[in-house]
């Protein structure tokens, strides 16, 4: 019993840090409707800034705390609200999610650019003596832990007073119900939203400053764990209750301390279960916690007044321009391929091969996001499944590499279908969070296993027979990309694509004509995962090795940001995104002497444009160009005018209850 109480007390400080960010998440969601995935990045910025002032510049604790937590953090929240999230208040949930996801990718990289990547050891806390010991009977807390507990109690008490006695508290609760209806009652919704963002960002900054001394050095990965644990605590609170968010964070911290105390340090459970506990808890809460799935349903009576999305340019331009565009694209692609096969150096051949491989992987996002309308943050995970399956089958059983890559794709498709079965109970933002939890569990628990990744000795993968040199392997990758592209186009035009379009338009109407939403979405998940798995096998084959670094959760986040920034609904969008990812560093960043982190910053911030242009920047520019070109074309070559909305065609009655692609 003594050990149990000791472990509980040891877990409370870490749980309090989880609770602070969870409270910030709930606070922002309650008052703006935004589930801000950038909170982990905001906490990281605060921790790094406090380290710069306190350690590297020798500031005293109090002024450094005031500047970072009470000034810089609220100011960051105000800027995010004014520049980004104010314009997303009435946007669809997916637009809010994508924008915050872009910030989660971009902000830590921007910090690395500004402050460098030097080791950050000797992180100090806000207590006057971090090493002081405080005895509570037989139990001891040091200064860092006391700072966490005291700060959390003070913050929660002040927040409770604010909501109970201050007029701004009532206004904050009213704005989330319906900002437009609240404004009709004379409340300045913009001012209330700005205040709530400043307040929630203060909690994120406080959590970052308190968490930093608990680790040996400052690395963004620690704050990802903080974010996911906070999301789990917020899910425990059903995104509505601040007291439950506090309780959920503390319970999670205590659970981690109990596992650390009772499990043998060298055991498999201690090495895998403890670090993955926040991710597993999040996944289980999303699936089974009562009332959570209805928490994200908008209660705004004016939430349905926004217009439907525009149709892709390919559906509204005339036959002449469509034919000209295809001929031009084929000509440019053919010229580049000929130059790559005959003239380019080995470095550029490798770059173009990487672009082609990532085009295959990104086409999986075209299926799951562009067709099914779901944001999956586990596409890099599915690519990793295909890569590791290919590597192990070739290494252990000596199978031929080329057919084995397609077997690896089938394994990834099977995993995608299995994952989809529970996740499709969620939908929307909760499905996205569920895929993030799966990606993190895969990275922390599954990948380190020797029979998956080879452990300390990654599995080597040879090139297919006949495609050993770089140029012939590039040709193989191009052929596979063409096949996958035509397959995606066929899926989109076929029964499955029509069913998915019908579900996006109205699930109730689609069900009334015999569409089975669960079956079709599971199929979409499986197809998407299979395509990603095939791309992962190609990537491992190109590099001759399957490594965990190529399929980390961060790449899963970035790949989604990459595609939604340009276009999720077309094959062209995925290919352009992949070539941008591969070509921007050698063509732009390296000649200008810029850090490669700028690539993540540019695409991450580019995701913010999703709310204004949900079709993607590429489609938006194509639409502008089309309008300019058609003004100069003779009338007989122009497209017939049609409604610029997503048609979401219903399937033909003859196939309404039948098969799919």
């Amino acid at each position: 019993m003594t050990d149990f109480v000791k472990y509980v007390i040891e877990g409370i400080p870490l749980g309090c840090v989880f609770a602070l960010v969870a409270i910030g998440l709930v606070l922002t969601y309650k008052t703006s409707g935004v589930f801000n995935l950038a909170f982990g990045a905001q906490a990281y910025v605060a921790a790094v800034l406090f380290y710069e002032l306190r350690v590297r510049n020798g500031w005293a604790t109090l002024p450094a705390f005031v500047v970072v937590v009470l000034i810089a953090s609220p100011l960051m929240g105000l800027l995010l609200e004014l520049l980004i999230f104010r314009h997303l208040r009435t946007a669809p949930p997916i637009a809010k999610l994508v924008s915050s996801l872009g910030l989660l990718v971009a902000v830590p990289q921007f910090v690395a650019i500004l402050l460098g990547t030097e080791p950050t050891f000797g992180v100090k806390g806000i207590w006057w003596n971090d090493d002081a010991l405080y005895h509570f009977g037989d139990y001891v807390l040091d200064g860092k832990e006391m700072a966490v507990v005291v700060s959390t109690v003070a913050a929660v008490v002040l927040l409770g007073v604010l909501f109970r006695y201050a007029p701004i508290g009532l206004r904050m609760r009213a704005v989330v119900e319906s900002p437009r209806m609240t404004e009709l009652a004379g409340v300045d919704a913009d001012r209330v939203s700005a205040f709530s963002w400043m307040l929630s960002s203060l909690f994120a900054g406080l959590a970052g400053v308190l968490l930093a001394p608990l680790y040996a050095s400052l690395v963004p990965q620690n704050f990802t764990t903080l974010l996911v644990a906070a999301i789990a605590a917020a899910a425990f609170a059903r995104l509505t209750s601040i007291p439950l968010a506090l309780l959920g964070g503390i319970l999670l911290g205590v659970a981690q301390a109990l596992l650390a105390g009772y499990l043998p340090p060298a055991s498999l459970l201690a090495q895998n279960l403890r670090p993955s506990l926040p991710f597993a808890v999040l996944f289980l809460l999303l699936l089974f916690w009562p009332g959570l799935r209805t928490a994200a349903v908008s209660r705004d009576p004016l939430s349905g007044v926004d217009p439907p999305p525009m149709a892709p340019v390919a559906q509204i331009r005339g036959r002449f321009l469509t034919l000209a565009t295809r001929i031009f694209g084929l000509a440019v692609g053919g010229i580049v391929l000929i130059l790559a096969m005959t003239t380019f150096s080995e470095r550029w051949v490798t770059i173009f091969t990487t672009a082609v491989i990532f085009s295959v992987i990104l086409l999986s996002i075209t299926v799951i996001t562009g067709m099914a309308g779901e944001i999956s943050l586990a596409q890099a995970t599915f690519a990793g499944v295909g890569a590791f399956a290919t590597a192990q089958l070739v290494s252990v059983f000596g199978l031929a590499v080329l057919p084995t890559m397609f077997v690896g794709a089938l394994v990834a498709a099977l995993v995608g279908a299995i994952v989809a079965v529970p996740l499709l109970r969620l939908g929307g933002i909760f499905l996205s969070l569920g895929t993030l939890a799966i990606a993190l569990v895969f990275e922390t628990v599954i990948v380190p296993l020797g029979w998956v990744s080879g452990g300390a000795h990654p599995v080597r993968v040879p090139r297919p027979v006949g495609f050993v040199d770089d140029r012939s392997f590039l040709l193989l990758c191009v052929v596979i990309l063409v096949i996958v592209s035509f397959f995606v186009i066929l899926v989109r035009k076929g029964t499955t694509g029509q069913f998915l379009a019908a579900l996006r338009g109205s699930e109730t109407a689609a069900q009334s004509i015999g569409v089975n939403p669960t079956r079709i979405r599971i199929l979409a998940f499986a197809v998407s995962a299979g395509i990603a798995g095939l791309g992962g096998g190609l990537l491992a084959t190109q590099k001759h090795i399957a490594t965990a670094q190529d399929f980390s959760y961060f790449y899963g986040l970035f790949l989604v940001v990459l595609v939604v920034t340009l276009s999720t609904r077309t094959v062209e969008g995925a290919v352009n995104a992949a070539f941008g990812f591969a070509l921007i560093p050698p063509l732009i960043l390296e000649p200008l002497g810029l850090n490669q982190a700028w690539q993540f910053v540019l695409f991450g911030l580019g995701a913010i444009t999703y709310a204004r242009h949900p079709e993607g920047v590429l489609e938006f520019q194509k639409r502008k160009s089309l309008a300019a070109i058609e003004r100069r074309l003779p009338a007989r070559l122009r497209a017939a005018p049609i409604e610029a909305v997503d048609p979401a065609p219903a399937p033909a009655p003859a196939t309404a209850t039948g098969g799919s692609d």
Side-chain angles (χ1 to χ4, degrees):
M1 186 63 183
T2 301
D3 288 341
F4 177 81
V5 175
K6 174 187 175 183
Y7 298 146
V8 168
I9 292 177
E10 289 177 351
I12 289 176
L14 184 60
C16 286
V17 179
F18 295 160
L20 285 174
V21 179
I23 290 171
L25 287 170
V26 171
L27 182 61
T28 304
Y29 187 81
K30 286 181 65 175
T31 56
S32 68
V34 175
F35 197 86
N36 185 17
L37 292 179
F39 264 178
Q42 291 177 252
Y44 176 67
V45 170
V48 172
L49 181 58
F50 186 78
Y51 178 84
E52 288 288 322
L53 298 178
R54 183 74 179 86
V55 178
R56 290 184 174 169
N57 292 282
W59 284 35
T61 301
L62 182 59
F65 178 84
V66 170
V67 168
V68 173
V69 177
L70 301 182
I71 298 177
S73 294
L75 182 60
M76 181 186 301
L78 178 62
L79 290 175
L80 291 178
E81 199 277 336
L82 290 176
L83 299 178
I84 302 171
F85 291 107
R86 174 171 297 184
H87 309 289
L88 298 177
R89 188 181 299 137
T90 58
I94 190 173
K96 301 174 183 178
L97 175 66
V98 168
S99 298
S100 64
L101 187 62
L103 291 172
L104 177 62
V105 170
V107 170
Q109 301 298 321
F110 189 63
V111 171
I113 292 170
L114 290 180
L115 302 179
T117 56
E118 297 179 11
T120 52
F121 298 114
V123 182
K124 295 184 179 180
I126 64 174
W127 205 251
W128 51 82
N129 184 358
D130 288 344
D131 297 323
L133 299 179
Y134 298 87
H135 295 268
F136 300 90
D138 296 331
Y139 312 106
V140 179
L141 294 178
D142 61 24
K144 298 187 290 292
E145 295 167 332
M146 283 293 296
V148 172
V149 175
V150 172
S151 298
T152 301
V153 171
V156 171
V157 169
L158 291 175
L159 187 63
V161 171
L162 174 71
F163 272 103
R164 184 173 181 85
Y165 298 107
I168 188 66
L170 179 60
R171 293 171 183 170
M172 289 167 66
R173 293 196 299 272
V175 165
V176 72
E177 296 293 334
S178 176
R180 288 170 281 197
M181 294 289 287
T182 305
E183 287 178 339
L184 294 177
V187 175
D188 189 338
D190 289 340
R191 181 176 299 177
V192 173
S193 178
F195 179 81
S196 68
W197 270 90
M198 294 174 67
L199 184 60
S200 61
S201 296
L202 185 150
F203 274 81
L206 179 61
V209 169
L210 294 174
L211 179 71
L214 302 181
Y215 292 95
S217 63
L218 288 174
V219 292
Q221 290 80 1
N222 293 336
F223 293 85
T224 301
T225 303
L226 168 66
L227 174 65
V228 176
I231 293 174
F236 180 78
R238 299 185 181 88
L239 304 184
T240 57
S241 172
I242 288 176
L244 282 180
L246 174 65
L247 176 61
I250 293 176
L251 289 176
L252 190 55
V254 169
Q256 283 200 303
L258 290 173
L259 289 179
Y262 283 113
L263 294 178
S267 68
L268 185 64
L269 283 176
Q271 294 175 359
N272 293 330
L273 180 58
R274 186 185 174 220
S276 66
L277 180 65
F279 320 140
V281 169
L282 172 60
F283 185 73
L284 294 174
L285 284 172
L286 290 173
L287 291 181
F288 302 114
W289 196 237
L292 179 60
R293 292 194 296 276
T294 61
V297 177
S298 175
R299 295 180 295 274
D300 186 353
L302 300 180
S303 62
V305 302
D306 298 316
M310 294 183 177
V313 171
Q315 295 182 10
I316 62 175
R317 67 189 174 198
R319 178 175 296 181
F320 172 77
L321 284 180
T322 298
L323 182 62
T325 301
R326 291 175 179 173
I327 292 174
F328 177 76
L330 289 173
V332 171
I335 291 171
V336 171
L337 181 60
I338 292 172
L339 291 175
M341 298 298 294
T342 59
T343 305
F344 288 170
S345 66
E346 290 185 3
R347 176 174 182 260
W348 281 101
V349 171
T350 300
I351 290 172
F352 274 91
T353 303
T354 301
V356 173
I357 292 172
F358 271 93
S359 297
V360 175
I361 296 175
L362 295 185
L363 281 172
S364 70
I365 300 176
T366 302
V367 173
I368 193 63
T369 301
M371 296 185 195
E374 303 289 357
I375 296 288
S376 168
L377 304 180
Q379 296 309 107
T381 298
F382 297 135
V385 171
F388 293 129
T390 300
Q392 290 289 358
L393 290 173
V394 170
S395 174
V396 176
F397 298 101
L399 302 179
V401 178
L402 186 56
T404 304
M405 286 192 295
F406 289 91
V407 174
L410 290 176
V411 173
L414 178 61
V415 172
I418 294 172
V419 164
V421 171
L423 286 182
L424 288 177
R425 297 175 56 196
L426 304 174
I429 184 175
F430 293 124
L431 183 144
S432 301
L433 295 177
T435 56
L436 175 60
I438 287 173
L440 288 164
V441 170
F442 178 78
E443 184 170 331
T444 57
V445 178
I446 306 299
V447 170
L449 300 175
W451 60 271
V452 175
S453 64
H457 304 285
V459 183
R460 301 195 64 82
V461 190
R463 297 272 179 89
V465 176
F467 302 96
V468 176
D469 65 282
D470 290 341
R471 297 184 195 276
S472 62
F473 185 73
L474 169 60
L475 185 60
L476 171 66
C477 292
V478 170
V479 171
I480 292 177
L481 172 60
V482 171
I483 294 172
V484 173
S485 298
F486 276 108
F487 175 73
V488 170
I489 293 172
L490 290 175
V491 170
R492 184 177 61 200
K493 292 183 176 181
T495 308
T496 298
Q498 292 189 30
F499 281 172
L500 291 171
L503 289 172
R504 290 199 314 272
S506 172
E507 184 167 328
T508 302
Q511 286 180 295
S512 70
I513 60 172
V515 177
N516 186 327
T518 301
R519 184 174 66 85
I520 294 301
R521 285 175 176 149
I522 290 175
L523 179 61
F525 249 97
V527 170
S528 172
I531 293 173
L534 179 59
L538 281 172
L539 186 61
T541 305
Q542 181 205 17
K543 294 188 173 184
H544 300 283
I545 193 171
T547 62
Q549 291 79 3
D550 291 328
F551 309 105
S552 70
Y553 79 91
F554 177 79
Y555 275 105
L557 304 180
F558 178 66
L559 294 181
V560 172
V561 168
L562 190 65
V563 178
V564 299
T565 301
L566 295 181
S567 175
T568 60
R569 301 168 67 188
T570 62
V571 169
E572 180 186 358
V575 173
N576 277 275
F579 273 80
F581 172 67
L583 295 178
I584 283 179
L587 290 181
I588 299 178
L589 300 183
E590 292 176 10
L592 295 177
L594 297 177
N595 192 308
Q596 193 169 357
W598 276 107
Q599 185 180 23
F600 299 102
V601 173
L602 293 174
F603 280 109
L605 295 179
I608 297 170
T609 63
Y610 183 87
R612 180 177 294 180
H613 308 299
E615 74 276 23
V617 174
L618 179 64
E619 280 290 309
F620 172 71
Q621 294 299 331
K622 285 165 59 179
R623 192 178 302 278
K624 289 180 60 177
S625 300
L626 176 64
I629 292 172
E630 288 207 330
R631 283 196 296 267
R632 294 174 174 83
L633 284 176
R636 61 188 176 83
L637 296 179
R638 296 178 187 174
I642 63 173
E643 294 294 328
V645 298
D646 189 351
T655 60
T657 59
S660 57
D661 293 301

